[in-house]
Amino acid sequence: MFADLKAWSPELLTGIRLTVGMTFGSMAIALALGLALALGRISLNAWIRTPVIAFVELIRGSPLLLQLFYIYYVLPALGLRLTPIQAGLLGLGVNYAAYLSEVFRAGIAAVGSGQREASESLGMSPSQTMRHIILPQAWRIVIPPTGNYFISLFKDTALVSTISIAELMFQGQLIASDTFRYTEIYSIIFVIYVAISVPASAGVRWLERYFNRSGQRR
Amino acid sequence: MANIIEMTGLNKAFDAFQVLHDVNLSIAKGEVVVIIGASGSGKSTLIRCINGLEQLDSGAIEVDGLTLLPAAKGRRQASGALQDIRREVGMVFQQFNLFPHKTVLENVTLAPIKVRKWDQAKAETTARRLLERVGLVDHIQKYPSQLSGGQQQRVAIARSLAMEPRVMLFDEPTSALDPEMVGEVLEVMRGLAREGMTMVIVTHEMGFAREVADRVVYIDQGRILEVGTAAEIFDAPREERTKLFLSRVLKH
């Protein structure tokens, strides 16, 4: 098995690089878009709020795999042709943004109304209040669930193998169909995913402790 | 003396429950007005209307030449007008509401920097002076959770004063405090009153009310029932309900 590992290592390394790259790339999209959706969700303007709610429900109500296929195979018919990597980043990013927006919305709601009142009583505008008072406190609240979604996203990148992105899962399938040594290759892939996601979970727990230290809570 | 706050025909309901009934009240510049009344009588709602934390259903409030009117149905007050008023009106809350993720110094400098556009140095100088005055200059690098309730409330007062407000509102500032910490907060407020700050105070501290109030307002079921000097209200109340209320709160 170790000899196999050595022989397959160039392909596996390429796969790991793409898997990790897809994870960080789509997480960045998910964080930014998720926050925008969360703010839209709590907007007082129904013309913003209603479409955002509809969009989030659309994304949460359908399979990620279908969304990836839709972006990769259907959007070109509508005139938007994306490379597999672009389609993968967009699909994963938008899907996770929908889930994260609900996490962020709950985090914002969990910051007490007294904080908003105190800030606005000092003459701060609603957007200053959001940036300087609400979001920094909400951020601490949402770190654990956001971290969990991050780990989950790392594993879900395996789905983009279906739109021909040569990430780790895809490399495994290539090697398997070349060599028929399913046990060895899929065991190796198994170990690689776990070897990355378990320390990443520990990292998330460490972040959570880091942000809650020094008695910054009421 | 010119009036700095003018409330005319204020009505406010939460759903079907009418909290304020046709309230009229003028407050002169430099005056200390204490509002007393039973819980649920509408005194907190009244004070929260002055800086727009509660919206009016009808009537008007004029603060230092700026006017707050009822917002159109289902809409919030235009935030520009609200911010203009709130810049000039400080508010101290029962629960302090300090920003837990910011140090004492940052709590006090934030609004002057973001709203008044002061530079860091000016905001810090002012903050140090105010924290010195409330006796907390040794705690400026601490977080609110590291302070006692009384200390937190004194920081909250300094935070409001940093905006150099024309009026200070106090919504039951000592009600959430342990008894031994009430004195230190009242002492700071006493100092402000002596300096001529216009203050509107909702409190259950009757001894303090008698001592600092230029006028006492007794509010009952959303109506102003009686207004007078502290001596008039506490020693010779005219209304039966005022007498009843005072006999209850002054008994112990």
Side-chain angles (χ1 to χ4, degrees):
Chain A
M1 189 147 151
F2 287 107
D4 297 336
L5 190 59
K6 199 170 176 206
W8 298 334
S9 65
E11 290 88 346
L12 291 176
L13 280 175
T14 308
I16 291 172
R17 264 199 297 274
L18 257 173
T19 289
V20 171
M22 291 298 296
T23 305
F24 280 101
S26 43
M27 190 67 184
I29 295 172
L31 286 171
L33 183 61
L35 179 59
L37 290 174
L39 294 175
R41 180 82 167 69
I42 58 175
S43 169
L44 293 169
N45 185 340
W47 291 102
I48 299 174
R49 193 175 60 241
T50 312
V52 165
I53 293 173
F55 181 74
V56 168
E57 289 309 312
L58 211 64
I59 299 295
R60 295 204 306 171
S62 57
L64 171 55
L65 189 58
L66 173 62
Q67 291 161 18
L68 287 169
F69 281 12
Y70 210 85
I71 290 170
Y72 190 56
Y73 296 110
V74 179
L75 286 191
L78 304 172
L80 184 62
R81 192 167 300 279
L82 297 172
T83 66
I85 300 267
Q86 287 167 343
L89 286 173
L90 186 66
L92 289 169
V94 167
N95 182 273
Y96 272 77
Y99 287 95
L100 284 179
S101 75
E102 286 297 297
V103 170
F104 294 166
R105 186 185 61 77
I108 289 168
V111 178
S113 62
Q115 290 290 309
R116 183 188 308 262
E117 289 185 351
S119 174
E120 294 192 354
S121 292
L122 289 163
M124 305 247 280
S125 68
S127 74
Q128 286 175 323
T129 298
M130 188 54 78
R131 266 181 299 144
H132 300 295
I133 305 302
I134 310 290
L135 288 182
Q137 294 182 63
W139 176 233
R140 287 200 185 105
I141 297 169
V142 304
I143 282 175
T146 303
N148 288 338
Y149 274 117
F150 179 67
I151 308 293
S152 169
L153 170 61
F154 165 70
K155 293 175 292 178
D156 273 354
T157 56
L159 286 172
V160 302
S161 63
T162 57
I163 55 169
S164 73
I165 294 178
E167 45 65 76
L168 188 57
M169 190 67 207
F170 190 89
Q171 300 288 356
Q173 287 171 309
L174 281 185
I175 294 167
S177 60
D178 266 2
T179 62
F180 303 107
R181 302 200 22 215
Y182 296 105
T183 310
E184 290 86 346
I185 184 60
Y186 285 130
S187 301
I188 288 169
I189 301 280
F190 205 120
V191 169
I192 293 175
Y193 273 111
V194 172
I196 294 175
S197 64
V198 168
S201 298
V204 168
R205 283 194 299 276
W206 179 84
L207 263 184
E208 190 183 336
R209 278 197 307 276
Y210 177 84
F211 279 104
N212 282 337
R213 80 198 191 296
S214 73
Q216 298 180 15
R217 291 244 162 133
R218 268 181 301 175
Chain B
M1 267 194 301
N3 287 334
I4 192 163
I5 300 176
E6 196 86 55
M7 295 180 244
T8 34
L10 248 57
N11 280 288
K12 169 76 186 171
F14 291 119
D15 298 319
F17 180 66
Q18 189 78 21
V19 192
L20 296 177
H21 293 268
D22 194 32
V23 169
N24 295 287
L25 184 64
S26 301
I27 294 169
K29 198 166 173 341
E31 198 177 17
V32 177
V33 172
V34 174
I35 302 174
I36 60 172
S39 345
S41 59
K43 54 192 193 306
S44 277
T45 305
L46 176 60
I47 202 174
R48 286 163 58 86
C49 282
I50 299 176
N51 73 343
L53 286 179
E54 304 293 351
Q55 283 181 33
L56 313 178
D57 295 336
S58 65
I61 302 182
E62 200 173 303
V63 183
D64 199 22
L66 300 160
T67 309
L68 270 180
L69 293 169
K73 245 192 172 62
R75 298 285 299 271
R76 288 219 308 195
Q77 188 87 32
S79 62
L82 269 180
Q83 280 165 249
D84 287 345
I85 284 191
R86 286 167 174 170
R87 264 198 287 273
E88 312 302 331
V89 179
M91 177 110 180
V92 174
F93 298 87
Q94 182 176 353
Q95 299 295 340
F96 331 134
N97 294 345
L98 291 181
F99 307 132
H101 60 301
K102 295 195 174 290
T103 63
V104 166
L105 185 64
E106 289 165 347
N107 263 276
V108 181
T109 57
L110 181 69
I113 291 172
K114 299 297 173 193
V115 179
R116 293 263 187 238
K117 309 293 177 197
W118 293 0
D119 60 40
Q120 184 76 29
K122 181 180 181 192
E124 274 195 28
T125 310
T126 306
R128 277 173 194 280
R129 177 171 55 74
L130 290 168
L131 287 166
E132 175 106 56
R133 166 190 184 152
V134 300
L136 290 168
V137 79
D138 297 335
H139 300 275
I140 55 173
Q141 293 308 336
K142 289 189 180 166
Y143 285 93
S145 61
Q146 295 167 289
L147 302 177
S148 72
Q151 290 172 325
Q152 290 192 48
Q153 193 61 298
R154 285 184 283 151
V155 172
I157 294 173
R159 178 176 70 176
S160 284
L161 291 176
M163 284 295 288
E164 301 184 335
R166 313 282 307 271
V167 177
M168 284 286 283
L169 309 176
F170 294 86
D171 187 5
E172 303 202 23
T174 58
S175 298
L177 294 176
D178 292 336
E180 74 270 23
M181 293 170 184
V182 170
E184 63 194 58
V185 171
L186 294 183
E187 188 50 43
V188 171
M189 292 170 63
R190 212 170 269 135
L192 275 177
R194 269 197 301 270
E195 284 172 22
M197 172 66 80
T198 307
M199 296 162 77
V200 184
I201 305 167
V202 170
T203 187
H204 294 291
E205 299 288 334
M206 295 301 156
F208 177 73
R210 177 193 284 267
E211 181 193 334
V212 301
D214 294 314
R215 274 192 303 159
V216 176
V217 174
Y218 174 66
I219 185 165
D220 183 81
Q221 294 178 2
R223 289 185 171 83
I224 291 184
L225 217 59
E226 193 162 355
V227 182
T229 64
E232 284 167 357
I233 299 287
F234 289 114
D235 299 333
R238 292 188 315 270
E239 301 285 338
E240 279 309 312
R241 303 189 73 104
T242 316
K243 287 177 197 166
L244 188 64
F245 171 75
L246 288 172
S247 73
R248 282 197 193 123
V249 294
L250 295 176
K251 201 156 46 190
H252 43 257

